Amino acid sequence: MKWNRRRGTVVDAERTPVSGALVAVEWGTAPTPEIAIETEQGGRFAIALPVEGRFRLRATAPDGETGSQEIEGAGGEEIVIELQR
Protein backbone atom coordinates (compact mmCIF):
# COMPACT_ATOMS: atom_id res chain seq x y z
CA MET A 1 0.00 0.00 0.00
CA LYS A 2 1.35 3.45 -0.94
CA TRP A 3 1.11 6.29 1.56
CA ASN A 4 0.99 10.08 1.17
CA ARG A 5 2.04 12.55 3.86
CA ARG A 6 -0.65 15.24 4.07
CA ARG A 7 -0.16 18.56 5.88
CA GLY A 8 -2.75 20.86 7.30
CA THR A 9 -3.85 23.44 9.83
CA VAL A 10 -6.67 23.57 12.38
CA VAL A 11 -8.28 27.00 12.72
CA ASP A 12 -11.17 28.45 14.73
CA ALA A 13 -14.18 30.31 13.33
CA GLU A 14 -12.08 33.52 13.10
CA ARG A 15 -9.40 31.59 11.12
CA THR A 16 -6.94 31.77 14.05
CA PRO A 17 -4.68 28.67 14.22
CA VAL A 18 -5.43 26.33 17.15
CA SER A 19 -2.49 24.65 18.91
CA GLY A 20 -3.06 21.50 20.97
CA ALA A 21 -6.06 20.24 18.95
CA LEU A 22 -6.30 16.51 18.30
CA VAL A 23 -6.73 15.40 14.67
CA ALA A 24 -7.89 11.85 13.90
CA VAL A 25 -9.30 9.88 10.98
CA GLU A 26 -13.04 9.65 11.73
CA TRP A 27 -13.71 7.30 8.80
CA GLY A 28 -12.10 6.21 5.59
CA THR A 29 -12.34 3.86 2.63
CA ALA A 30 -8.93 2.33 3.43
CA PRO A 31 -7.48 1.16 6.75
CA THR A 32 -5.49 3.68 8.80
CA PRO A 33 -3.86 3.48 12.23
CA GLU A 34 -6.23 4.50 15.01
CA ILE A 35 -4.25 7.42 16.38
CA ALA A 36 -4.73 11.10 17.02
CA ILE A 37 -2.16 13.73 16.16
CA GLU A 38 -1.77 16.89 18.25
CA THR A 39 -1.41 20.17 16.38
CA GLU A 40 1.79 22.09 16.92
CA GLN A 41 2.27 25.80 17.46
CA GLY A 42 0.40 27.57 14.69
CA GLY A 43 -2.21 24.80 14.45
CA ARG A 44 -0.07 22.73 12.04
CA PHE A 45 -0.22 18.95 11.68
CA ALA A 46 0.96 16.19 9.32
CA ILE A 47 -0.67 12.81 8.78
CA ALA A 48 0.20 9.82 6.59
CA LEU A 49 -2.76 8.42 4.65
CA PRO A 50 -3.11 5.68 2.03
CA VAL A 51 -2.96 7.15 -1.49
CA GLU A 52 -6.01 5.11 -2.53
CA GLY A 53 -8.92 6.32 -0.44
CA ARG A 54 -11.21 9.03 0.85
CA PHE A 55 -11.13 10.09 4.51
CA ARG A 56 -12.86 12.36 7.00
CA LEU A 57 -10.51 14.01 9.48
CA ARG A 58 -12.00 15.32 12.73
CA ALA A 59 -10.27 17.91 14.91
CA THR A 60 -11.10 18.50 18.56
CA ALA A 61 -9.74 21.62 20.27
CA PRO A 62 -8.73 21.74 23.94
CA ASP A 63 -11.93 23.76 24.65
CA GLY A 64 -14.11 21.05 23.04
CA GLU A 65 -14.88 22.72 19.71
CA THR A 66 -14.82 20.28 16.79
CA GLY A 67 -14.64 20.40 13.02
CA SER A 68 -14.12 17.96 10.16
CA GLN A 69 -12.92 17.88 6.58
CA GLU A 70 -13.29 15.19 3.90
CA ILE A 71 -10.20 14.63 1.76
CA GLU A 72 -8.63 12.31 -0.80
CA GLY A 73 -5.53 10.43 0.35
CA ALA A 74 -3.73 11.23 -2.91
CA GLY A 75 -4.42 14.98 -2.70
CA GLY A 76 -1.58 17.45 -2.47
CA GLU A 77 -3.36 20.60 -1.34
CA GLU A 78 -3.10 21.75 2.26
CA ILE A 79 -5.88 20.55 4.54
CA VAL A 80 -7.72 23.20 6.58
CA ILE A 81 -10.07 22.04 9.33
CA GLU A 82 -12.26 24.84 10.70
CA LEU A 83 -13.68 24.36 14.18
CA GLN A 84 -17.35 25.08 14.87
CA ARG A 85 -18.86 26.45 18.05
Side-chain angles (χ1 to χ4, degrees), residues 27-72:
W27 67 258
T29 59
T32 59
E34 295 183 15
I35 58 170
I37 298 160
E38 187 172 352
T39 59
E40 300 173 350
Q41 198 68 16
R44 309 274 307 148
F45 68 91
I47 187 169
L49 296 170
V51 171
E52 299 294 326
R54 183 158 186 80
F55 306 90
R56 179 184 299 143
L57 301 182
R58 175 162 298 280
T60 304
D63 66 3
E65 290 183 348
T66 64
S68 64
Q69 182 70 34
E70 289 187 23
I71 62 166
E72 296 286 336

Side-chain angles (χ1 to χ4, degrees), residues 5-11 16-23 37-47 59 76-81:
R5 188 164 179 82
R6 301 294 308 274
R7 298 186 186 283
T9 306
V10 175
V11 297
T16 303
V18 178
S19 300
L22 296 178
V23 177
I37 298 160
E38 187 172 352
T39 59
E40 300 173 350
Q41 198 68 16
R44 309 274 307 148
F45 68 91
I47 187 169
E77 68 282 354
E78 172 142 350
I79 302 162
V80 177
I81 303 174

